[in-house]
């Protein structure tokens, strides 16, 4: 008899990926996404699936725990953002690991969102959640909330870009904020902004210019490359 190989599971969480921009059927926008379209054509699609919560952390907690959103005892353990998934609470990822799967996560899994972060090596609660390999981060803005890195992306940025230093040249990750990556929202309350408002209007964003010239440093590209690297070294 032919050897039975268990299916692979790939979970993608892009921001605001609308169903009609999936590119998988005639009712979607005409998008050229051959890799994702190829995966969809070979796998199983759930065309009537809905997020259990509009909030980031609770939605991912529901998925991790395979439970519904809510305050009842039998529901998922988180109902608001900014909290950690309880490390002793069973997860789907841990169950997959116990069944022999090699489990990996990259980017913002949103399961360690308290002030302690994921840790600069990403290992905080990773094993308890069921992740064997990882490149973890808080999010595009919280990464730069403190002087020292508290996630893997912040540690990498501080090491390879000038954005991780303040005007005196000392290491200070707060000097990197969302402006560094080309999103100028007028939020002048951020400490040590990389972009400076110049006379006559407009902004001077040297680090944003650097990232624009080095696309691999942009957060989405950087995290994606780390995900590809994890796949390359994963057991086959």
């Amino acid at each position: 008899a032919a050897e039975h190989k268990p299916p692979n599971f790939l979970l993608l969480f892009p921001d605001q990926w609308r169903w009609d921009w999936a590119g998988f059927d005639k009712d979607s926008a005409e998008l050229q996404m051959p890799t994702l379209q190829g995966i969809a054509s070979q796998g199983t699609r759930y065309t009537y699936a809905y997020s259990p919560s509009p909030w980031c952390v609770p939605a991912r907690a529901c998925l991790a725990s395979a439970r519904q959103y809510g305050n009842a005892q039998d529901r998922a353990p988180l109902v608001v953002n900014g909290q950690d998934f309880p490390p002793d609470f069973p997860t789907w990822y841990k169950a997959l690991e116990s069944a022999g799967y090699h489990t990996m996560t990259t980017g913002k899994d949103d399961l360690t969102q308290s002030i302690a972060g994921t840790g600069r090596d990403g290992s905080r609660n990773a094993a308890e959640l069921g992740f064997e390999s990882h490149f973890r981060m808080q999010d595009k803005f919280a990464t730069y909330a403190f002087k020292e890195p508290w996630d893997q992306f912040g540690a990498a940025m501080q090491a390879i870009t000038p954005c991780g230093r303040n005007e005196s040249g000392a290491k200070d990750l707060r000097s990197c904020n969302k402006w560094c990556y080309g999103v100028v929202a007028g939020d002048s309350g951020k400490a040590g902004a990389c972009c400076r408002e110049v006379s006559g209007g407009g902004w001077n964003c040297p680090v944003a210019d650097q990232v624009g010239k080095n696309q691999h440093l942009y957060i989405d590209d950087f995290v994606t490359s780390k995900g590809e690297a994890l796949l390359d070294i994963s057991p086959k």
Side-chain angles (χ1 to χ4, degrees):
E3 180 184 359
H4 172 71
K5 292 186 177 181
N8 292 318
F9 295 90
L10 176 64
L11 304 179
L12 303 176
F13 294 101
D15 287 344
Q16 301 172 350
W17 192 13
R18 291 170 27 164
W19 72 269
D20 54 346
W21 279 78
F24 296 151
D25 53 52
K26 61 182 179 61
D27 294 324
S28 297
E30 295 183 7
L31 304 178
Q32 300 300 316
M33 301 189 301
T35 300
L36 286 177
Q37 289 166 344
I39 292 173
S41 67
Q42 300 175 49
T44 300
R45 294 181 55 216
Y46 298 92
T47 57
Y48 290 94
Y50 300 87
S51 174
S53 171
W55 285 26
C56 300
V57 171
R60 287 164 173 78
C62 289
L63 178 62
S65 63
R67 299 193 182 195
Q68 291 287 345
Y69 175 80
N71 286 309
Q73 187 174 3
D74 61 344
R75 300 300 176 95
L78 301 179
V79 295
V80 296
N81 287 336
Q83 298 180 337
D84 287 345
F85 192 95
D88 58 347
F89 202 96
T91 70
W92 186 53
Y93 314 120
K94 195 70 175 178
L96 287 174
E97 183 185 21
S98 299
Y101 277 87
H102 182 80
T103 53
M104 302 179 291
T105 182
T106 182
K108 186 181 75 163
D109 56 59
D110 263 345
L111 297 175
T112 46
Q113 279 290 313
S114 73
I115 199 70
T118 65
R120 62 183 302 147
D121 64 354
S123 64
R124 182 171 171 268
N125 292 353
E128 291 82 356
L129 291 167
F131 299 129
E132 297 178 70
S133 304
H134 51 77
F135 184 86
R136 305 170 71 206
M137 54 172 289
Q138 291 299 98
D139 61 46
K140 294 180 180 180
F141 308 139
T143 287
Y144 310 116
F146 299 100
K147 182 177 181 179
E148 291 296 327
W150 62 329
D151 66 5
Q152 284 179 276
F153 180 71
M157 289 297 101
Q158 188 180 70
I160 65 177
T161 75
C163 195
R165 298 183 181 274
N166 60 26
E167 293 178 344
S168 300
K171 289 186 177 181
D172 189 341
L173 201 62
R174 291 172 298 180
S175 64
C176 296
N177 58 42
K178 59 187 175 182
W179 288 327
C180 296
Y181 296 92
V183 184
V184 179
D187 185 1
S188 59
K190 291 285 185 179
C194 287
C195 291
R196 308 295 183 190
E197 192 169 10
V198 297
S199 59
W203 297 83
N204 177 27
C205 306
V207 179
D209 292 340
Q210 180 194 0
V211 174
K213 297 172 183 176
N214 298 276
Q215 185 67 25
H216 67 283
L217 296 180
Y218 180 65
I219 191 167
D220 294 338
D221 297 73
F222 195 84
V223 168
T224 298
S225 70
K226 294 299 182 180
E228 292 173 341
L230 288 180
L231 287 173
D232 288 339
I233 64 174
S234 65
K236 301 297 189 290

